[in-house]
Amino acid sequence: MDIKTERRDGILTFAIRGRLDGYGAGQLADAVEASLQADDRSVVFDLAGMSYLSSAGIRILIATKKRLKERGGTLALAGIQDYPKSVLDMAGVTPIFSLYPDLEVAVAACRRSKDSLSVINDLVRAPVVRDGVAYTVEPASTRSSSLLVTGDLDKMLHARLTESDIRAIPFSALPYSLGLGALGENVADALPLLGEMITLHGSVVWLPTDGNATPDFFTPVKDAGKPCIYTGYNVTLYGPFHEIITIDAGDEGGIALSDIYRTIFDFARERKRDFSGVVALAMWAVVDGVCSLGVKRSPIAASSPANGLPINAEENAKEWLEENDEPKYRGETMVSFGFGIDYSACSGEHLSALTDRNRPKTQQLQLHNHGVIFRGVPWDASLDLTRQIERIVTGAEFVDMRHLKDNTRIRRAKVGVAYISEIAV
C-alpha cells in the first residue's frame, strides 16, 4: 500500500492507494501518528485509489474518527470505490462516516466546518488583526503583580556561583518561575548540575549540565518540604494575569516570540497601562518551530572563564552555551513561562536584577523564556488557560525542555499576561 500525506487549505489529507489490509492498517496508523499535529481538527482520507478494505483497516478509520471527535473535528472519506464501500456497508459502519465524492469536496466541507468554529469564537470576542495575526484579548484581573528575583544575575553570567549563593526553595513557592536550578539531595549534590529550569504549578523541569542534554522533571503529589528546588538564579511571578490573549497566526509560518512581545507592549501603550516596562507571560501554544539556547556547564566559581568575561560573551559562548537555530517540534504543544523588558518604557527599582548589563545599547527588548514541549495535546482555544496548563504538565507526554530563543515561532497560543508593577529582590 502507498500513502501520500499533504495539506490542502490547512486540512491534513492522506491519499491511500492499494490494499488497506492488516499490514496497510499498521502503515496508516503510523502515518496518522507522525502527521497529526496539535491544532489539526479534521482529516481527509482520499480513498479513490484504495482497492481493498478489511476489518483491520476499518478499525484504523474508526480510531482516527474517535480521536478527531475528541477535538471537535471530523474524519472525511473521499472517493471510496464500490468494493471498499460494500465492506463498510456489510460491517454496518457506513452511517458513522462522512463520505464525499472526491478530495476537493471533502476538503471544502472540512474547511467550512473549521471556519464555522472560528466565526462562533469571533462572535463571542472580536479579535484585533495585526500583520495577519489575530489577537483576542480578554480582561482577567485588576490586582497588581510582581516578580521576585532570587540570586545574583551577574554572578551567574560570570560563573561565580558558590554553595553560599544557592537557595533551597519549596515547590509550592514557585507557581510560575524560570531560572537556573537543579534537584538533588543537598546543595553540594545540585551545584555542579545547575541548568536551565522552569516551574509550572508545582512541577519542575530542568536541563542538568551533565553533558547529556536530556531534561529531567518532577511533579510532587504534595509539598512536604523535601526534596526542594536548588537555584542559583530564579524569577518568580506573584500575582494574577491581567489579560488572557488568544493568538492565531494561521497554519503556515507562525509568529516569532519577539513579535508577540512587541505586540503586547504596543497594546500596553495603547491602553496606557501603569507598569514598570516589564511583562510576564505564561503560554500554552502550538509551535511552528522551537529555536533554543542554554548553558552547557554549571556556572560555578570553580570553572569561571579565565578572561573575566561573561559566559555569553562572544569569546566564551561556544564553550559555555549550546545554541540551536534549526526549528524543532513543528505542530507540537508547548507550555512556557518568561518575561520581557521594553527598555523604551522602563521604570522602577531593581530592574538591574533582570537586566544583562552586557546587552547591546541599541537593544529595545530583552526576553527570557523557557518552554516545555509535550505531545498528544489537542488544541482548543476555548479551554481555561490555567487549568489546561495544570492538566498538560501533570498528564501529557513530556518531550523536551529548552531556553527559548526570540525567533521561536508560534502558530497558535493562549497567553496569560501580567503587567509587572514591582520587582522585588
Side-chain angles (χ1 to χ4, degrees):
M1 188 182 73
D2 178 67
I3 303 173
K4 181 182 178 183
T5 305
E6 64 176 337
R7 292 184 181 275
R8 295 199 175 201
D9 295 331
I11 303 298
L12 180 62
T13 69
F14 298 87
I16 302 169
R17 298 184 61 85
R19 297 169 59 86
L20 187 51
D21 52 17
Y23 180 72
Q27 289 181 292
L28 182 57
D30 289 344
V32 171
E33 188 64 36
S35 302
L36 191 68
Q37 298 184 355
D39 53 350
D40 284 320
R41 286 184 175 272
S42 298
V43 168
V44 175
F45 284 165
D46 181 2
L47 307 180
M50 186 181 73
S51 59
Y52 174 88
L53 177 66
S54 71
S55 291
I58 292 174
R59 282 198 293 269
I60 299 304
L61 300 183
I62 292 174
T64 306
K65 178 178 174 59
K66 287 181 177 178
R67 191 169 176 181
L68 293 167
K69 186 178 180 180
E70 293 172 355
R71 303 178 176 211
T74 186
L75 172 65
L77 306 183
I80 189 169
Q81 300 304 300
D82 290 343
Y83 178 76
K85 171 65 164 54
S86 68
V87 174
L88 284 184
D89 292 341
M90 289 181 67
V93 296
T94 303
I96 73 171
F97 292 109
S98 301
L99 273 58
Y100 298 92
D102 57 44
L103 178 62
E104 285 70 24
V105 175
V107 168
C110 291
R111 189 72 234 179
R112 284 195 299 273
S113 175
K114 184 176 180 181
D115 291 343
S116 296
L117 288 171
S118 298
V119 168
I120 291 171
N121 288 334
D122 291 350
L123 288 173
V124 177
R125 302 176 303 275
V128 176
V129 179
R130 298 196 175 181
D131 298 323
V133 179
Y135 301 85
T136 305
V137 182
E138 302 174 73
S141 176
T142 58
R143 293 187 292 113
S144 62
S145 291
S146 62
L147 292 179
L148 173 63
V149 181
T150 302
D152 188 315
L153 178 61
D154 195 59
K155 278 189 174 183
M156 183 185 76
L157 290 176
H158 284 83
R160 295 173 182 162
L161 295 175
T162 65
E163 287 193 18
S164 63
D165 298 309
I166 308 304
R167 299 290 178 266
I169 304 178
F171 285 81
S172 58
L174 301 176
Y176 287 105
S177 81
L178 84 171
L180 193 80
L183 299 181
E185 185 178 357
N186 50 46
V187 173
D189 186 32
L191 186 64
L193 297 176
L194 292 174
E196 310 286 357
M197 179 191 75
I198 181 173
T199 67
L200 301 159
H201 286 289
S203 296
V204 60
V205 188
W206 63 295
L207 196 60
T209 49
D210 55 6
N212 295 320
T214 302
D216 201 3
F217 61 97
F218 181 60
T219 302
V221 175
K222 62 179 181 179
D223 189 349
K226 287 188 177 182
C228 59
I229 299 169
Y230 293 103
T231 180
Y233 181 76
N234 183 264
V235 180
T236 304
L237 172 64
Y238 285 101
F241 300 122
H242 300 110
E243 293 171 342
I244 305 295
I245 302 180
T246 304
I247 299 171
D248 191 336
D251 296 314
E252 300 295 335
I255 178 174
L257 184 61
S258 56
D259 289 331
I260 289 177
Y261 271 94
R262 286 190 181 93
T263 302
I264 288 172
F265 280 121
D266 286 345
F267 286 163
R269 282 188 284 270
E270 291 166 9
R271 295 182 174 89
K272 296 181 172 55
R273 283 279 184 183
D274 182 18
F275 73 118
S276 63
V278 180
V279 297
L281 304 186
M283 181 184 301
W284 163 39
V286 179
V287 296
D288 203 70
V290 172
C291 300
S292 62
L293 178 72
V295 294
K296 292 191 289 189
R297 300 163 55 187
S298 180
I300 56 180
S303 60
S304 58
N307 58 18
L309 296 174
I311 61 177
N312 59 349
E314 186 176 350
E315 295 89 334
N316 297 325
K318 188 170 291 187
E319 178 185 357
W320 277 89
L321 303 178
E322 181 180 7
E323 191 168 5
N324 189 351
D325 260 329
E326 185 67 29
K328 298 176 66 177
Y329 306 121
R330 281 193 171 95
E332 301 288 11
T333 295
M334 180 179 75
V335 176
S336 69
F337 174 71
F339 62 87
I341 304 170
D342 179 359
Y343 287 103
S344 68
C346 276
S347 63
E349 273 188 280
H350 305 307
L351 190 61
S352 61
L354 299 175
T355 303
D356 179 2
R357 66 184 184 185
N358 298 293
R359 70 176 179 88
K361 299 302 182 185
T362 56
Q363 182 180 345
Q364 180 184 351
L365 295 184
Q366 180 180 322
L367 310 182
H368 192 165
N369 295 267
H370 292 176
V372 188
I373 309 301
F374 296 90
R375 185 168 291 134
V377 182
W379 171 254
D380 186 346
S382 68
L383 297 178
D384 177 80
L385 173 65
T386 301
R387 290 180 182 173
Q388 185 64 1
I389 289 178
E390 288 183 276
R391 290 192 191 104
I392 291 171
V393 299
T394 56
E397 180 186 351
F398 171 76
V399 178
D400 200 358
M401 175 265 171
R402 297 289 153 179
H403 179 127
L404 305 178
K405 295 191 69 175
D406 300 355
N407 57 338
T408 291
R409 300 193 72 83
I410 307 299
R411 190 183 295 172
R412 290 175 179 84
K414 198 153 193 175
V415 185
V417 182
Y419 296 97
I420 303 302
S421 57
E422 181 185 8
I423 300 166
V425 296

Short mmCIF file of all heavy atoms in Angstrom, two decimals, residues 49-100:
data_model
loop_
_atom_site.label_atom_id
_atom_site.label_comp_id
_atom_site.label_asym_id
_atom_site.label_seq_id
_atom_site.Cartn_x
_atom_site.Cartn_y
_atom_site.Cartn_z
N GLY A 49 -7.95 5.60 -4.72
CA GLY A 49 -7.03 4.58 -5.19
C GLY A 49 -6.99 3.35 -4.32
O GLY A 49 -6.14 2.47 -4.52
N MET A 50 -7.88 3.24 -3.34
CA MET A 50 -7.89 2.08 -2.43
C MET A 50 -8.74 0.96 -3.03
O MET A 50 -9.94 1.13 -3.28
CB MET A 50 -8.44 2.48 -1.07
CG MET A 50 -8.35 1.37 -0.02
SD MET A 50 -9.04 1.86 1.59
CE MET A 50 -10.80 1.85 1.23
N SER A 51 -8.13 -0.20 -3.24
CA SER A 51 -8.82 -1.30 -3.91
C SER A 51 -9.40 -2.33 -2.96
O SER A 51 -10.28 -3.12 -3.36
CB SER A 51 -7.84 -2.01 -4.86
OG SER A 51 -6.71 -2.50 -4.12
N TYR A 52 -8.95 -2.35 -1.70
CA TYR A 52 -9.37 -3.41 -0.78
C TYR A 52 -9.43 -2.84 0.63
O TYR A 52 -8.62 -1.99 1.01
CB TYR A 52 -8.36 -4.56 -0.84
CG TYR A 52 -8.59 -5.66 0.17
CD1 TYR A 52 -9.45 -6.73 -0.13
CD2 TYR A 52 -7.98 -5.64 1.42
CE1 TYR A 52 -9.67 -7.75 0.80
CE2 TYR A 52 -8.20 -6.65 2.35
CZ TYR A 52 -9.05 -7.70 2.03
OH TYR A 52 -9.27 -8.70 2.94
N LEU A 53 -10.41 -3.34 1.41
CA LEU A 53 -10.57 -2.91 2.80
C LEU A 53 -10.98 -4.11 3.63
O LEU A 53 -11.83 -4.91 3.23
CB LEU A 53 -11.65 -1.82 2.90
CG LEU A 53 -12.02 -1.31 4.29
CD1 LEU A 53 -10.83 -0.58 4.92
CD2 LEU A 53 -13.23 -0.39 4.22
N SER A 54 -10.33 -4.24 4.82
CA SER A 54 -10.69 -5.32 5.75
C SER A 54 -11.05 -4.71 7.10
O SER A 54 -10.98 -3.50 7.31
CB SER A 54 -9.53 -6.29 5.89
OG SER A 54 -8.46 -5.70 6.63
N SER A 55 -11.40 -5.61 8.04
CA SER A 55 -11.74 -5.13 9.39
C SER A 55 -10.57 -4.41 10.05
O SER A 55 -10.77 -3.48 10.84
CB SER A 55 -12.17 -6.31 10.26
OG SER A 55 -13.41 -6.82 9.83
N ALA A 56 -9.34 -4.84 9.73
CA ALA A 56 -8.17 -4.15 10.29
C ALA A 56 -8.13 -2.70 9.85
O ALA A 56 -7.86 -1.79 10.64
CB ALA A 56 -6.89 -4.87 9.87
N GLY A 57 -8.43 -2.47 8.58
CA GLY A 57 -8.46 -1.10 8.06
C GLY A 57 -9.60 -0.30 8.66
O GLY A 57 -9.45 0.88 8.99
N ILE A 58 -10.78 -0.96 8.82
CA ILE A 58 -11.92 -0.26 9.41
C ILE A 58 -11.60 0.19 10.83
O ILE A 58 -11.99 1.29 11.25
CB ILE A 58 -13.17 -1.18 9.40
CG1 ILE A 58 -13.64 -1.40 7.96
CG2 ILE A 58 -14.29 -0.57 10.24
CD1 ILE A 58 -14.77 -2.40 7.83
N ARG A 59 -10.87 -0.62 11.59
CA ARG A 59 -10.51 -0.25 12.96
C ARG A 59 -9.69 1.04 12.99
O ARG A 59 -9.88 1.88 13.88
CB ARG A 59 -9.75 -1.38 13.64
CG ARG A 59 -10.65 -2.51 14.12
CD ARG A 59 -9.95 -3.38 15.14
NE ARG A 59 -8.83 -4.11 14.56
CZ ARG A 59 -8.94 -5.32 14.03
NH1 ARG A 59 -10.12 -5.93 14.01
NH2 ARG A 59 -7.88 -5.94 13.54
N ILE A 60 -8.79 1.20 12.02
CA ILE A 60 -7.99 2.42 11.96
C ILE A 60 -8.86 3.62 11.60
O ILE A 60 -8.71 4.71 12.17
CB ILE A 60 -6.83 2.27 10.96
CG1 ILE A 60 -5.91 1.13 11.39
CG2 ILE A 60 -6.04 3.58 10.86
CD1 ILE A 60 -5.35 1.28 12.79
N LEU A 61 -9.81 3.43 10.68
CA LEU A 61 -10.72 4.51 10.32
C LEU A 61 -11.52 4.96 11.54
O LEU A 61 -11.66 6.16 11.81
CB LEU A 61 -11.66 4.07 9.20
CG LEU A 61 -11.05 3.64 7.86
CD1 LEU A 61 -12.17 3.32 6.87
CD2 LEU A 61 -10.13 4.70 7.31
N ILE A 62 -12.03 3.99 12.29
CA ILE A 62 -12.85 4.31 13.47
C ILE A 62 -12.00 4.96 14.56
O ILE A 62 -12.42 5.95 15.19
CB ILE A 62 -13.55 3.04 14.00
CG1 ILE A 62 -14.59 2.55 12.99
CG2 ILE A 62 -14.20 3.32 15.35
CD1 ILE A 62 -15.23 1.23 13.36
N ALA A 63 -10.79 4.44 14.77
CA ALA A 63 -9.92 5.01 15.80
C ALA A 63 -9.55 6.45 15.48
O ALA A 63 -9.52 7.33 16.36
CB ALA A 63 -8.66 4.16 15.93
N THR A 64 -9.28 6.74 14.20
CA THR A 64 -8.95 8.11 13.80
C THR A 64 -10.14 9.03 13.97
O THR A 64 -10.01 10.17 14.43
CB THR A 64 -8.47 8.13 12.34
OG1 THR A 64 -7.39 7.21 12.17
CG2 THR A 64 -8.02 9.52 11.93
N LYS A 65 -11.34 8.51 13.60
CA LYS A 65 -12.55 9.33 13.75
C LYS A 65 -12.78 9.68 15.23
O LYS A 65 -13.10 10.83 15.56
CB LYS A 65 -13.75 8.57 13.19
CG LYS A 65 -15.07 9.33 13.36
CD LYS A 65 -16.23 8.58 12.77
CE LYS A 65 -17.54 9.29 13.08
NZ LYS A 65 -17.58 10.67 12.56
N LYS A 66 -12.63 8.70 16.13
CA LYS A 66 -12.81 8.96 17.56
C LYS A 66 -11.82 10.00 18.07
O LYS A 66 -12.17 10.88 18.87
CB LYS A 66 -12.66 7.66 18.35
CG LYS A 66 -13.83 6.70 18.21
CD LYS A 66 -13.61 5.45 19.05
CE LYS A 66 -14.81 4.52 18.97
NZ LYS A 66 -14.59 3.27 19.75
N ARG A 67 -10.59 9.88 17.60
CA ARG A 67 -9.55 10.82 18.03
C ARG A 67 -9.89 12.25 17.61
O ARG A 67 -9.70 13.20 18.37
CB ARG A 67 -8.22 10.39 17.42
CG ARG A 67 -7.00 11.08 17.95
CD ARG A 67 -5.76 10.38 17.46
NE ARG A 67 -4.56 11.07 17.86
CZ ARG A 67 -3.34 10.68 17.54
NH1 ARG A 67 -3.18 9.58 16.81
NH2 ARG A 67 -2.28 11.36 17.92
N LEU A 68 -10.41 12.39 16.40
CA LEU A 68 -10.76 13.72 15.90
C LEU A 68 -12.03 14.25 16.56
O LEU A 68 -12.17 15.46 16.79
CB LEU A 68 -10.94 13.67 14.39
CG LEU A 68 -9.66 13.38 13.60
CD1 LEU A 68 -9.98 13.05 12.15
CD2 LEU A 68 -8.70 14.57 13.67
N LYS A 69 -12.95 13.35 16.90
CA LYS A 69 -14.18 13.77 17.56
C LYS A 69 -13.87 14.41 18.90
O LYS A 69 -14.54 15.37 19.32
CB LYS A 69 -15.12 12.57 17.74
CG LYS A 69 -16.49 12.94 18.30
CD LYS A 69 -17.39 11.73 18.41
CE LYS A 69 -18.76 12.11 18.97
NZ LYS A 69 -19.65 10.94 19.10
N GLU A 70 -12.84 13.89 19.60
CA GLU A 70 -12.43 14.48 20.87
C GLU A 70 -11.95 15.90 20.72
O GLU A 70 -11.95 16.68 21.69
CB GLU A 70 -11.32 13.62 21.50
CG GLU A 70 -11.78 12.24 21.94
CD GLU A 70 -10.63 11.35 22.36
OE1 GLU A 70 -9.46 11.80 22.22
OE2 GLU A 70 -10.88 10.22 22.83
N ARG A 71 -11.54 16.26 19.51
CA ARG A 71 -11.07 17.62 19.23
C ARG A 71 -12.18 18.51 18.66
O ARG A 71 -11.92 19.65 18.28
CB ARG A 71 -9.92 17.58 18.23
CG ARG A 71 -8.74 16.73 18.67
CD ARG A 71 -7.67 16.70 17.60
NE ARG A 71 -6.49 15.96 18.07
CZ ARG A 71 -5.26 16.22 17.69
NH1 ARG A 71 -5.01 17.17 16.81
NH2 ARG A 71 -4.24 15.53 18.16
N GLY A 72 -13.38 17.96 18.54
CA GLY A 72 -14.46 18.71 17.92
C GLY A 72 -14.37 18.72 16.42
O GLY A 72 -14.95 19.59 15.76
N GLY A 73 -13.64 17.76 15.83
CA GLY A 73 -13.45 17.71 14.39
C GLY A 73 -14.08 16.47 13.78
O GLY A 73 -14.91 15.81 14.40
N THR A 74 -13.66 16.15 12.55
CA THR A 74 -14.28 15.03 11.86
C THR A 74 -13.28 14.35 10.93
O THR A 74 -12.27 14.94 10.53
CB THR A 74 -15.49 15.52 11.03
OG1 THR A 74 -16.16 14.39 10.47
CG2 THR A 74 -15.04 16.43 9.90
N LEU A 75 -13.60 13.11 10.57
CA LEU A 75 -12.87 12.38 9.54
C LEU A 75 -13.75 12.30 8.31
O LEU A 75 -14.90 11.84 8.39
CB LEU A 75 -12.53 10.96 10.02
CG LEU A 75 -11.93 10.02 8.95
CD1 LEU A 75 -10.57 10.53 8.50
CD2 LEU A 75 -11.82 8.60 9.47
N ALA A 76 -13.23 12.75 7.16
CA ALA A 76 -13.97 12.69 5.90
C ALA A 76 -13.34 11.63 5.00
O ALA A 76 -12.11 11.58 4.87
CB ALA A 76 -13.94 14.05 5.21
N LEU A 77 -14.18 10.81 4.40
CA LEU A 77 -13.72 9.79 3.44
C LEU A 77 -14.11 10.26 2.05
O LEU A 77 -15.29 10.54 1.78
CB LEU A 77 -14.36 8.44 3.74
CG LEU A 77 -14.20 7.89 5.17
CD1 LEU A 77 -14.83 6.50 5.27
CD2 LEU A 77 -12.75 7.86 5.58
N ALA A 78 -13.14 10.33 1.16
CA ALA A 78 -13.38 10.86 -0.18
C ALA A 78 -13.13 9.80 -1.24
O ALA A 78 -12.15 9.07 -1.19
CB ALA A 78 -12.46 12.07 -0.44
N GLY A 79 -14.08 9.72 -2.22
CA GLY A 79 -13.87 8.91 -3.41
C GLY A 79 -13.82 7.42 -3.19
O GLY A 79 -13.18 6.70 -3.98
N ILE A 80 -14.48 6.89 -2.18
CA ILE A 80 -14.41 5.47 -1.90
C ILE A 80 -15.03 4.66 -3.04
O ILE A 80 -16.10 5.02 -3.56
CB ILE A 80 -15.07 5.14 -0.55
CG1 ILE A 80 -14.80 3.67 -0.16
CG2 ILE A 80 -16.56 5.46 -0.56
CD1 ILE A 80 -15.18 3.35 1.27
N GLN A 81 -14.37 3.58 -3.45
CA GLN A 81 -14.81 2.76 -4.56
C GLN A 81 -15.83 1.71 -4.11
O GLN A 81 -16.07 1.52 -2.91
CB GLN A 81 -13.61 2.11 -5.23
CG GLN A 81 -12.59 3.11 -5.78
CD GLN A 81 -13.22 4.10 -6.75
OE1 GLN A 81 -13.75 3.70 -7.79
NE2 GLN A 81 -13.17 5.39 -6.42
N ASP A 82 -16.42 1.01 -5.08
CA ASP A 82 -17.56 0.12 -4.81
C ASP A 82 -17.22 -0.99 -3.83
O ASP A 82 -17.98 -1.24 -2.88
CB ASP A 82 -18.08 -0.48 -6.13
CG ASP A 82 -18.77 0.55 -7.01
OD1 ASP A 82 -19.13 1.62 -6.47
OD2 ASP A 82 -18.94 0.30 -8.22
N TYR A 83 -16.11 -1.70 -4.04
CA TYR A 83 -15.82 -2.83 -3.17
C TYR A 83 -15.56 -2.39 -1.73
O TYR A 83 -16.18 -2.93 -0.79
CB TYR A 83 -14.65 -3.66 -3.70
CG TYR A 83 -14.32 -4.82 -2.78
CD1 TYR A 83 -15.10 -5.95 -2.75
CD2 TYR A 83 -13.24 -4.75 -1.89
CE1 TYR A 83 -14.84 -7.00 -1.88
CE2 TYR A 83 -12.96 -5.79 -1.01
CZ TYR A 83 -13.77 -6.91 -1.01
OH TYR A 83 -13.51 -7.94 -0.15
N PRO A 84 -14.66 -1.43 -1.48
CA PRO A 84 -14.47 -0.98 -0.09
C PRO A 84 -15.76 -0.43 0.53
O PRO A 84 -16.02 -0.63 1.72
CB PRO A 84 -13.40 0.11 -0.21
CG PRO A 84 -12.67 -0.22 -1.46
CD PRO A 84 -13.71 -0.77 -2.38
N LYS A 85 -16.59 0.23 -0.29
CA LYS A 85 -17.87 0.75 0.22
C LYS A 85 -18.76 -0.40 0.67
O LYS A 85 -19.44 -0.32 1.72
CB LYS A 85 -18.55 1.58 -0.86
CG LYS A 85 -19.98 2.02 -0.55
CD LYS A 85 -20.04 2.98 0.63
CE LYS A 85 -21.38 3.70 0.69
NZ LYS A 85 -22.56 2.82 0.69
N SER A 86 -18.78 -1.51 -0.12
CA SER A 86 -19.61 -2.65 0.26
C SER A 86 -19.11 -3.28 1.56
O SER A 86 -19.91 -3.80 2.35
CB SER A 86 -19.64 -3.69 -0.87
OG SER A 86 -18.36 -4.30 -1.03
N VAL A 87 -17.80 -3.24 1.80
CA VAL A 87 -17.25 -3.75 3.05
C VAL A 87 -17.73 -2.90 4.23
O VAL A 87 -18.14 -3.44 5.28
CB VAL A 87 -15.71 -3.78 3.00
CG1 VAL A 87 -15.13 -4.17 4.36
CG2 VAL A 87 -15.23 -4.75 1.93
N LEU A 88 -17.72 -1.58 4.08
CA LEU A 88 -18.25 -0.70 5.13
C LEU A 88 -19.72 -1.00 5.39
O LEU A 88 -20.18 -1.05 6.54
CB LEU A 88 -18.10 0.76 4.73
CG LEU A 88 -16.72 1.42 4.80
CD1 LEU A 88 -16.83 2.90 4.44
CD2 LEU A 88 -16.09 1.27 6.17
N ASP A 89 -20.49 -1.20 4.30
CA ASP A 89 -21.92 -1.48 4.44
C ASP A 89 -22.14 -2.78 5.21
O ASP A 89 -22.98 -2.85 6.12
CB ASP A 89 -22.58 -1.58 3.06
CG ASP A 89 -22.61 -0.24 2.33
OD1 ASP A 89 -22.48 0.80 3.01
OD2 ASP A 89 -22.77 -0.24 1.09
N MET A 90 -21.39 -3.82 4.83
CA MET A 90 -21.56 -5.12 5.49
C MET A 90 -21.15 -5.06 6.96
O MET A 90 -21.71 -5.77 7.80
CB MET A 90 -20.74 -6.18 4.76
CG MET A 90 -21.28 -6.56 3.39
SD MET A 90 -20.29 -7.83 2.60
CE MET A 90 -20.61 -9.23 3.68
N ALA A 91 -20.17 -4.21 7.29
CA ALA A 91 -19.73 -4.07 8.68
C ALA A 91 -20.70 -3.21 9.48
O ALA A 91 -20.59 -3.13 10.71
CB ALA A 91 -18.33 -3.46 8.73
N GLY A 92 -21.63 -2.55 8.80
CA GLY A 92 -22.63 -1.74 9.47
C GLY A 92 -22.13 -0.42 9.99
O GLY A 92 -22.75 0.18 10.87
N VAL A 93 -21.01 0.07 9.45
CA VAL A 93 -20.42 1.30 9.98
C VAL A 93 -20.50 2.48 9.01
O VAL A 93 -20.06 3.58 9.35
CB VAL A 93 -18.95 1.07 10.39
CG1 VAL A 93 -18.86 0.07 11.52
CG2 VAL A 93 -18.11 0.63 9.19
N THR A 94 -21.06 2.26 7.82
CA THR A 94 -21.13 3.36 6.85
C THR A 94 -21.78 4.62 7.42
O THR A 94 -21.27 5.73 7.20
CB THR A 94 -21.89 2.91 5.59
OG1 THR A 94 -21.24 1.76 5.04
CG2 THR A 94 -21.91 4.01 4.54
N PRO A 95 -22.87 4.53 8.19
CA PRO A 95 -23.52 5.75 8.68
C PRO A 95 -22.67 6.61 9.61
O PRO A 95 -22.97 7.80 9.79
CB PRO A 95 -24.76 5.21 9.43
CG PRO A 95 -25.02 3.87 8.83
CD PRO A 95 -23.66 3.32 8.52
N ILE A 96 -21.62 6.05 10.22
CA ILE A 96 -20.85 6.85 11.17
C ILE A 96 -19.81 7.72 10.48
O ILE A 96 -19.19 8.58 11.10
CB ILE A 96 -20.16 5.97 12.23
CG1 ILE A 96 -18.97 5.21 11.65
CG2 ILE A 96 -21.15 5.04 12.90
CD1 ILE A 96 -18.12 4.49 12.68
N PHE A 97 -19.60 7.50 9.16
CA PHE A 97 -18.59 8.26 8.43
C PHE A 97 -19.23 9.32 7.54
O PHE A 97 -20.38 9.18 7.10
CB PHE A 97 -17.74 7.33 7.55
CG PHE A 97 -16.85 6.41 8.34
CD1 PHE A 97 -17.13 5.05 8.40
CD2 PHE A 97 -15.75 6.89 9.02
CE1 PHE A 97 -16.32 4.18 9.13
CE2 PHE A 97 -14.93 6.04 9.76
CZ PHE A 97 -15.22 4.69 9.81
N SER A 98 -18.47 10.39 7.30
CA SER A 98 -18.87 11.41 6.34
C SER A 98 -18.20 11.08 5.01
O SER A 98 -16.98 11.11 4.90
CB SER A 98 -18.43 12.79 6.82
OG SER A 98 -19.00 13.11 8.07
N LEU A 99 -19.01 10.73 3.98
CA LEU A 99 -18.50 10.32 2.68
C LEU A 99 -18.69 11.43 1.65
O LEU A 99 -19.77 12.07 1.60
CB LEU A 99 -19.21 9.05 2.20
CG LEU A 99 -18.64 7.70 2.66
CD1 LEU A 99 -18.60 7.59 4.17
CD2 LEU A 99 -19.45 6.55 2.06
N TYR A 100 -17.68 11.68 0.83
CA TYR A 100 -17.74 12.71 -0.21
C TYR A 100 -17.25 12.13 -1.53
O TYR A 100 -16.42 11.21 -1.54
CB TYR A 100 -16.88 13.91 0.20
CG TYR A 100 -17.37 14.57 1.47
CD1 TYR A 100 -16.87 14.19 2.71
CD2 TYR A 100 -18.37 15.54 1.43
CE1 TYR A 100 -17.34 14.76 3.88
CE2 TYR A 100 -18.85 16.13 2.60
CZ TYR A 100 -18.33 15.73 3.82
OH TYR A 100 -18.81 16.30 4.98
#
